[in-house]
Amino acid sequence: MKETDREAVATAVQRVAGMLQRPDQLDKVEQYRRREARKKASVEARLKAAIQSQLDGVRTGLSQLHNALNDVKDIQQSLADVSKDWRQSINTIESLKDVKDAVVRHSQLAAAVENLKNIFSVPEIVRETQDLIEHGELLQAHRKLMDLECSRDGLMYEQYRMDSGNTRDMTLIHSYFGSTQGLSDELAKQLWMVLQRSLVTVRRDPTLLVSVVRIIEREEKIDRRILDRKKQTGFVPPGRPKNWKEKMFTILDRTVTTRIEGTQADTRESDRMWLVRHLEIIRKYVLDDLIVAKNLLAQCFPPHYEIFRSLLRTYHQALSARMQDLAAEDLEANEIVSLLTWVLNTYTSVEMMGNAELAPEVDVALLEPLLSADVVSALLDTYMSTLTSNIIAWLRKALETDKKDWMKETEPEADQDGYYQTTVPAIVFQMFEQNLQVAAQISEDLKTKVLVLCLQQMNSFLSRYKEEAQLYRDEHLRDRQHPHCYVQYMVAVVNNCQTFKESIVSLKRKYLKHEAEEGVSLCQPSMDGVLDAIAKEGCGSLLEEVFLDLEQHLNELMTKKWLLGSNAVDIICVTVEDYFNDFAKIKKPYRKRMIAEAHRRAVQEYLRAVMQKRISFRSAEERKDGAERMVREAEQLRFLFRKLASGFGEEMDSYCDTIVAVAEVIKLTDPSLLYLEVSTLVSKYPDIRDDHIGALLAMRGDASRDMKQTIIETLEQGPAQASPDYVPIFKDIVVPSLNVAKLLK
């Protein structure tokens, strides 16, 4: 209390201090005192009222407790009186046992009398019920069956109550009503037959289906009532519970499974498209069935059956099981594609479960996959393995077909631009296109894998293609009369390389979204390199054919006959031009390179003739005539290759300048300037060697041994450096096996 008083005083001091903060507030002290007095009186009045209320409540409670105590004492006295009376009446109750037994017998006899009419009419009711079942009057038949079962169950229940251990009487009743169970089974068969055809029946005679459902509902109610009574009495009539609702769903499940499995009308042996046909029939049947179930069947069943949802689940499970069975078979590659396309795409598309007529009850996003990820993965692995083998076989066959074409006596076909070609690029890429289109139907991932596979196999194919082209060339070189159209088909092989390149780029652009994907991007440089190598070798083979025909005329160069007026270069130019008229069938990228190579090769062969020491000029006049002839022939070659290259807009003159430069060395009349002229030649053509210079000086025929030695030794001391864009031309020219010392003599 002291602590409370102190707190109250402290609070009061604080309040007073808050009221009297300014001098002018001292005038209101009396006013403040009266206000606080009123507040104090109000609080005291409320406290008194609260305490009075609590006291009244306590008083009332005590009064009620007193009354309750009196009531308990009265009840205790009453219970004592009842106990006393019960002990006095025990003997009386035991003497009424005979009366109790009589009551039970009376009850059983009353039940027997009540069912007496039914008992005597059982055979007639059985016959009537059988007739009704046979005539399809299922509701009336079930009503009579219920009457029979009710009579039987009532009698058996009374017998059970009287003497549950008396099996003889129970057996007697059961045998008398023995036909009842047979009628029940026969009726059930009729119900199941209707349910098996429920999707057909609901369209033709929905009333019949409704009757079946009503019968099942009645039996369900009877089952529930009997099970409730079993909990109280322990008695269950024979054949109960029937569980016809559960059996109904079992029948529907079995019907769906049989319907799906029964759609396979063909086998692989009778029809290569058996699986496509089978899946299409399944799609059509399932879609039609579900639409009927949603729009018609659901109206014939109670809402709590959720018949459409149940059928949807059943169809999905049956389809999943069927797809599992199909996946377990030894499927071919095209069959795997058909199966996966159907499972992954068709099933959830608008053609089936995504159909607008099934919405909103069917949500494809909530459907479980028909095949597990492991099964799909295994099928894809099998497909890729089979596809790999097939592609290898197809490519091998395409190559064999192309090789046979190379041996034909007729020229190859030309494309719309007039370029020779064979069918192998079209065959190969048509095959790739078909497989990629098929893979794209399944998934983007499979499409990418198939593209990678195609490009990888294409890489291997090109290596074999290169080898076969080399063998083709070698075989021709052994007998240049065969094959008859060697040049034309080698041109087609070169053109195929460009077609392959363009087709690969087109294929990747069409079927590859992300160019940077590893495995795809790495294939392109490799294949481009192989294709360029094939084209280069092909062009080289064609040029080899040209220069084999020119060999006789090239051998006339730098001889006495040439000096006296040979027309070898004229023939060379005509022959080259004639060949390049055929080479006009080569596509531009390769023809341009081929012209440049032919230009280089022609000049190189001309220079090789110079280095062969076929002639040694004896006078300045001969050197002059020879040099001038070399310049004229260089101009002939220049004109020829300018003409051949005119369609490409580029000059190709530098090679012929080499012949002119060599002619200048030969034409020089002042031997003292020979070193300077040779130095100029070496600075222009850094790949020229001392044996080339020795052969050139030997051809002049006027250089002394000391001069030759001095020139060569001086040039060896400071070899010229080649520029980065310099194309070597002397490097491959071999001087006949005379050493430099002999050339200097």
Side-chain angles (χ1 to χ4, degrees), residues 578-592:
D578 182 57
Y579 265 104
F580 270 90
N581 286 334
D582 291 338
F583 296 162
K585 303 289 187 178
I586 298 177
K587 292 185 177 180
K588 285 188 175 181
Y590 296 123
R591 190 163 84 248
K592 177 182 175 182

Side-chain angles (χ1 to χ4, degrees), residues 48-67:
K48 288 179 181 179
I51 291 171
Q52 184 62 42
S53 176
Q54 291 291 331
L55 290 174
D56 291 342
V58 170
R59 187 179 297 110
T60 302
L62 289 173
S63 175
Q64 290 176 348
L65 286 173
H66 182 71
N67 293 335

Side-chain angles (χ1 to χ4, degrees), residues 39-50:
K39 285 183 179 180
K40 179 180 178 184
S42 175
V43 169
E44 288 177 350
R46 287 201 300 274
L47 283 173
K48 288 179 181 179

